[in-house]
């Protein structure tokens, strides 16, 4: 018989064993344990991530410092990018500088732990009463966390992360360190980051020397830097400054008497008032950024631009488009002016940069028309022809294509100089047959043309598209006496050294270019008392018209047309483009640097001839569809449609009423 235990009363105890007492029975549940483990992991992960935060990120310079472009005469003309100066130390600043920011942005900055529950509650209440967001509850520490470590998205998740990082920053940094980092990185409008940069930009002084009014104006801008910048809206900036002064007086930073005594600060002219929006600046900026290595502040890079010539070019283009251009249905134009060695002095990519930043001089590929005949005749001269060599100017049929002269006139056997001067289409096509289309392509390549070119007969008349910049550079080779000429916007830019031309071939080509302007299709461009060289170009249905010419020490190309390819009213290269060229060059030759590049071969030119009014030109013939040949290794693949613009860049100006046609070339 088993001996059974008894309790004190002699009763047999229960057979159920007793269990130990658990203070939190809920912890025995598997789901609860899993949740707690996940929370612990999250806390550890946050602690690890927070510990690895780069606390000095707010003090680092911007990845791309401000680029200030300077013209060849030392005049600032454009600015690209943002500016950030070295950081500030709040301990070295006057009390009213930091006090202005604290009074308007976070009055309890020295009393909270990174997140201000009282401020959040106050903001929520005011927003509820206003029926929308009118006030934020972010502290200065939270703003630093947002700008230095987080993306600027407006989500609840980002606000939570912002608060957590703010609390972490408060445990790692002192209040003065947090405020210093904040003031060193906050945006102050006009592309300026940090208090030091803002003090320099707006007032031309160090932040340690800021007055009460200047400090209040800068502090007021933090709320909406672009809208409250004094260079953008001075009235709004001054009104906001008074709000900050009142807050400073209310917080005890200054007295009310001091606030009332503040006068409107003197603000320097903003660098944003430079002609920052220019096609030249867009073109040269990538080249300029490769030429420097800097951290804080601005970087000044000298360019080849002549600000005076650029202004003249823009005024000339706008004047002619508003007048004759409107009458003949030409809504856009482009201009490139360079020295014979390729230094670009002026570049206009369209009618109005503010309306369209698309650069019709460097980005748009257009058919050059008869301006491309330069390469055909150059190829012939290199093969032994001379300006006196005869060419048959009579009707011609090549396969299914029958090129025609613009005026329907044919002269039989004529010298090359006459065929070139009157821009005979059939003579150019026949000449291209004689030398071979491949020789024409090679001549273009040797003169620096890189756009895709085919080898069918239509190349003689400019059926393949090129940019105005590369076409003008090709003409510059004859002014310089060497090829290829690389257009560049930085003095001393590293370019491929040009190879000297045969001086006799060069002189003969200049002779024919001179004939064009003296008695041929380019007479409208002729300058008084200054030898002028050039060539006209017109495409079928008058969709594009060009004139590229040289005089003195300038090589200038002009294109006129419409972005959508709409035909103009009888506009030829010898009419509107040549007149724009003449108007521009009349003043530009007096501005251009002097080097005498075109003076040496003039003794070989014939005496001035009486203009032959019958030489009205042979441009504008219907071309066959360009046929691209080859495997693409020689650049013969079809060119991309770079002349097409996005809808917002297209000129929507209506077609003007019919007017009498201008003189044909």
């Amino acid at each position: 018989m088993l001996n059974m235990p008894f309790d004190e009363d002699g009763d047999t105890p229960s057979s159920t064993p007793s269990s130990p007492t658990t203070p939190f029975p809920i912890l025995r549940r598997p789901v609860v344990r899993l949740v707690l483990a996940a929370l612990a992991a999250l806390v550890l992960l946050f602690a690890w991530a927070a510990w690895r935060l780069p606390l000095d990120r707010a003090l680092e310079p911007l990845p791309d410092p401000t680029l200030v472009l300077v013209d060849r005469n030392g005049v600032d003309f454009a600015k690209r990018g943002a500016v950030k100066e070295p950081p500030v130390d709040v301990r070295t600043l006057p009390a009213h500088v930091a006090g202005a920011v604290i009074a308007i942005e976070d009055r309890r900055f020295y009393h909270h732990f990174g997140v201000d529950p009282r401020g959040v509650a106050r903001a929520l209440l005011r927003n509820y009463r206003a029926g929308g967001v009118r006030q934020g509850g972010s502290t200065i520490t939270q703003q630093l966390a947002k700008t230095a470590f987080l993306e600027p998205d407006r989500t609840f998740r980002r606000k939570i992360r912002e608060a957590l990082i703010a609390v972490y920053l408060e445990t790692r940094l002192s209040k003065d360190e947090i405020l210093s980092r904040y003031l060193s990185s906050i945006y102050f409008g006009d592309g300026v980051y940090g208090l030091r940069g803002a003090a320099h930009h707006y007032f031309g002084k160090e932040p340690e020397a800021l007055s009460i009014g200047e400090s209040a104006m800068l502090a007021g801008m933090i709320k909406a830097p672009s809208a409250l910048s004094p260079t953008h809206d001075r009235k709004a900036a001054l009104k906001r400054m008074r709000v900050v002064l009142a807050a400073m007086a209310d917080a005890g930073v200054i007295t009310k008497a001091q606030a009332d005594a503040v006068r409107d600060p003197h603000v320097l002219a903003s660098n944003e008032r430079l002609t920052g929006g220019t096609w030249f600046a867009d073109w040269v900026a990538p080249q300029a950024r490769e030429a420097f290595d800097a951290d804080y502040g601005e970087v000044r890079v000298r360019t080849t631009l002549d600000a005076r010539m650029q202004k003249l070019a823009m005024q000339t283009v706008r004047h002619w488009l508003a007048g004759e251009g409107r009458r003949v249905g030409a809504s856009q134009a482009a201009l490139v002016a360079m020295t014979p060695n390729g230094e670009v002095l002026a570049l206009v990519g369209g009618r109005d940069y503010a309306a369209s930043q698309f650069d019709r001089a460097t980005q748009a590929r257009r058919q050059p028309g008869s301006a491309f005949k330069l390469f055909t005749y150059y190829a012939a001269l290199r093969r032994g022809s001379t300006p006196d060599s005869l060419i048959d100017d009579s009707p011609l049929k090549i396969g299914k294509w029958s090129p025609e002269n613009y005026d329907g006139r044919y002269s039989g056997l004529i010298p090359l100089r006459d065929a070139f001067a009157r821009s005979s289409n059939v003579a150019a096509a026949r000449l291209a047959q004689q030398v071979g289309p491949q020789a024409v392509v090679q001549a273009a390549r040797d003169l620096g043309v890189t756009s895709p070119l085919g080898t069918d007969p239509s190349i003689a008349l400019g059926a393949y598209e090129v940019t105005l910049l590369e076409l003008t550079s090709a003409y510059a080779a004859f002014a310089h006496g060497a090829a290829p000429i690389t257009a560049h916007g930085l003095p001393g830019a590293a370019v491929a050294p040009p190879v000297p031309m045969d001086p006799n071939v060069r002189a003969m080509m200049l002779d024919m270019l001179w004939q064009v302007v003296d008695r041929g299709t380019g007479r409208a461009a002729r300058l008084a008392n200054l030898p002028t060289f050039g060539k006209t170009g017109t495409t079928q249905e008058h969709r594009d018209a060009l004139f590229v010419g040289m005089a003195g020490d300038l090589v200038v190309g002009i294109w006129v047309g419409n972005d959508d390819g709409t035909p103009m009213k009888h506009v030829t290269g010898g009419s509107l483009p040549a007149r724009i060229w003449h108007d521009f060059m009349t003043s530009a030759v007096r501005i251009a640097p002097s080097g005498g590049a075109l003076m040496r071969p003039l003794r070989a030119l014939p005496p001035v001839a009486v203009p032959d009014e019958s030489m009205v030109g042979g441009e504008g013939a219907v071309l066959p569809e360009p046929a691209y040949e080859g495997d693409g290794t020689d650049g013969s693949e079809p060119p991309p449609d770079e002349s097409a613009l996005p809808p917002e860049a297209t000129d929507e100006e209506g077609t003007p009423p019919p007017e009498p046609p201008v003189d044909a070339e």
Side-chain angles (χ1 to χ4, degrees):
M1 182 176 177
L2 297 175
N3 294 322
M4 304 295 296
F6 292 87
D7 59 19
E8 294 178 351
D9 298 327
D11 297 330
T12 303
S14 172
S15 62
T16 303
S18 61
S19 60
T21 303
T22 302
F24 300 103
I26 194 172
L27 295 180
R28 299 179 61 189
R29 299 181 181 180
V31 175
V32 174
R33 291 180 179 179
L34 183 62
V35 170
L36 291 177
L39 289 176
L42 287 175
V43 170
L44 291 174
L45 180 63
F46 170 74
W48 174 80
W51 187 261
R52 294 172 59 88
L53 282 177
L55 293 181
D56 289 337
R57 179 181 293 180
L59 304 181
E60 295 175 355
L62 296 173
D64 294 312
T66 297
L67 175 65
V68 177
L69 299 177
V70 184
D71 86 336
R72 65 189 305 114
N73 300 310
V75 178
D76 297 356
F77 70 89
K79 185 175 80 169
R80 286 291 185 276
V83 62
K84 186 176 182 180
E85 299 285 357
V88 298
D89 186 342
V90 71
R91 294 171 297 181
T92 67
L93 300 176
H96 58 258
V97 175
V101 175
I102 292 173
I104 196 65
E105 289 294 317
D106 184 5
R107 195 171 298 186
R108 285 176 36 81
F109 173 69
Y110 283 103
H111 304 287
H112 60 64
F113 55 90
V115 178
D116 186 8
R118 185 187 303 179
V120 173
R122 181 175 62 252
L124 290 175
L125 180 60
R126 292 188 179 180
N127 293 337
Y128 173 77
R129 291 175 176 175
V133 179
R134 295 293 184 270
Q135 181 178 350
S138 294
T139 64
I140 285 177
T141 314
Q142 286 177 271
Q143 293 182 51
L144 175 62
K146 177 177 64 176
T147 58
F149 304 107
L150 300 174
E151 296 297 325
D153 53 327
R154 300 175 64 87
T155 63
F156 181 74
R157 176 174 175 270
R158 196 266 294 163
K159 292 296 292 184
I160 294 296
R161 296 179 63 201
E162 175 187 300
L164 291 174
I165 294 174
V167 173
Y168 166 74
L169 291 176
E170 291 278 349
T171 65
R172 292 289 305 276
L173 302 173
S174 69
K175 288 289 187 178
D176 285 347
E177 288 175 324
I178 291 173
L179 188 57
S180 295
R181 282 163 168 73
Y182 175 76
L183 292 177
S184 298
S185 61
I186 199 70
Y187 184 55
F188 284 95
D190 277 9
V192 178
Y193 289 83
L195 182 66
R196 190 175 303 279
H200 291 164
H201 178 73
Y202 292 108
F203 306 115
K205 58 175 63 176
E206 296 297 328
E208 291 81 6
L210 289 172
S211 68
I212 293 176
E214 293 164 346
S215 302
M217 179 172 282
L218 292 178
M221 291 168 54
I222 295 174
K223 177 182 179 181
S226 298
L228 297 175
S229 165
T231 57
H232 172 76
D233 190 338
R234 180 172 175 79
K235 184 177 180 180
L238 291 173
K239 182 178 179 181
R240 176 66 175 171
M241 180 191 74
R242 293 295 168 184
V243 173
V244 176
L245 289 171
M248 293 172 68
D250 185 55
V253 177
I254 58 175
T255 65
K256 188 176 184 305
Q258 287 177 304
D260 294 339
V262 170
R263 297 292 176 261
D264 296 349
H266 171 69
V267 178
L268 298 178
S270 171
N271 286 339
E272 285 293 329
R273 294 175 185 173
L274 295 173
T275 57
T278 67
W279 297 278
F280 180 88
D282 291 344
W283 174 67
V284 81
Q287 306 169 42
R289 289 198 182 280
E290 295 177 358
F292 71 83
D293 182 18
D295 43 26
Y296 293 109
E298 297 179 340
V299 176
R300 294 166 59 83
V301 176
R302 187 176 293 271
T303 69
T304 61
L305 185 84
D306 189 308
R308 300 167 301 171
M309 194 176 295
Q310 176 71 15
K311 182 178 181 180
L312 173 66
M314 295 176 70
Q315 290 175 339
T316 304
V317 167
R318 290 171 182 167
H319 168 76
W320 281 92
L321 287 180
E324 183 177 338
R326 184 177 182 83
R327 292 193 296 272
V328 299
S331 62
Q332 290 290 354
L335 181 152
V336 175
M338 65 176 64
T339 61
N341 69 351
E343 291 188 356
V344 177
L345 303 175
L347 191 153
V348 177
R351 181 181 195 135
D352 183 0
Y353 181 87
S356 170
Q357 291 78 52
F358 182 77
D359 190 346
R360 296 153 186 85
T362 68
Q363 294 176 294
R365 284 194 174 106
R366 298 276 188 160
Q367 288 184 340
S370 292
F372 198 86
K373 291 174 183 174
L374 173 87
F375 308 109
T376 302
Y377 281 78
Y378 181 50
L381 295 178
R382 294 203 298 184
R383 292 289 183 94
S385 297
T386 71
D388 294 318
S389 299
L390 298 179
I391 190 72
D392 187 5
D393 180 36
S394 60
L396 172 69
K397 186 171 184 178
I398 304 175
K400 297 181 179 180
W401 177 46
S402 297
E404 299 176 352
N405 286 346
Y406 180 80
D407 59 353
R409 300 178 184 178
Y410 303 89
S411 304
L413 290 176
I414 58 174
L416 288 185
R417 65 164 51 91
D418 287 355
F420 190 72
R422 67 175 59 188
S423 200
S424 168
N425 287 332
V426 296
R430 191 170 269 116
L431 191 62
Q433 276 191 310
Q434 292 178 7
V435 301
Q438 293 85 355
V440 177
V441 172
Q442 189 58 52
R445 295 289 182 238
D446 291 345
L447 292 174
V449 175
T450 59
S451 291
L453 300 173
T455 55
D456 55 284
S458 66
I459 191 174
L461 307 187
Y464 291 90
E465 298 169 334
V466 297
T467 68
L468 181 63
L469 183 68
E470 63 182 332
L471 185 64
T472 306
S473 300
Y475 276 72
F478 294 98
H480 189 61
I485 297 300
T486 303
H488 54 279
L490 301 180
V495 298
V499 178
M501 285 182 170
D502 183 318
N504 292 325
V505 172
R506 178 196 181 212
M508 289 187 289
M509 195 71 246
L510 285 173
D511 174 9
M512 291 194 289
L513 290 168
W514 178 77
Q515 298 281 348
V516 171
V517 179
D518 185 67
R519 62 190 183 94
T521 59
R523 294 192 305 276
R526 187 170 50 198
L527 299 172
N529 303 318
L530 187 62
T532 310
F533 311 79
K535 185 67 184 77
T536 56
T538 309
T539 63
Q540 58 192 44
E541 298 183 357
H542 305 278
R543 296 180 185 275
D544 305 276
L546 304 94
F547 183 84
V548 185
M550 304 172 282
D553 290 282
L554 280 179
V555 185
V556 178
I558 305 284
W559 167 85
V560 173
N562 295 302
D563 287 336
D564 58 1
T566 302
M568 298 174 287
K569 298 177 181 178
H570 304 283
V571 176
T572 61
S575 59
L576 182 56
R579 292 168 188 165
I580 296 175
W581 191 93
H582 178 274
D583 189 10
F584 171 74
M585 288 291 286
T586 299
S587 299
V589 291
R590 296 195 293 267
I591 302 174
S594 177
L598 286 175
M599 298 298 104
R600 291 188 292 273
L602 294 186
R603 61 181 179 274
L605 298 181
V608 177
V610 177
D612 181 357
E613 297 301 330
S614 68
M615 302 185 76
V616 294
E619 301 177 6
V622 176
L623 300 176
E625 197 67 30
Y628 292 87
E629 301 177 358
D631 58 3
T633 59
D634 61 349
S636 61
E637 71 278 1
D641 185 12
E642 295 190 16
S643 62
L645 297 180
E648 63 272 18
T650 303
D651 194 315
E652 300 293 340
E653 184 174 331
T655 304
E659 293 285 343
V662 298
D663 293 337
E665 293 181 21

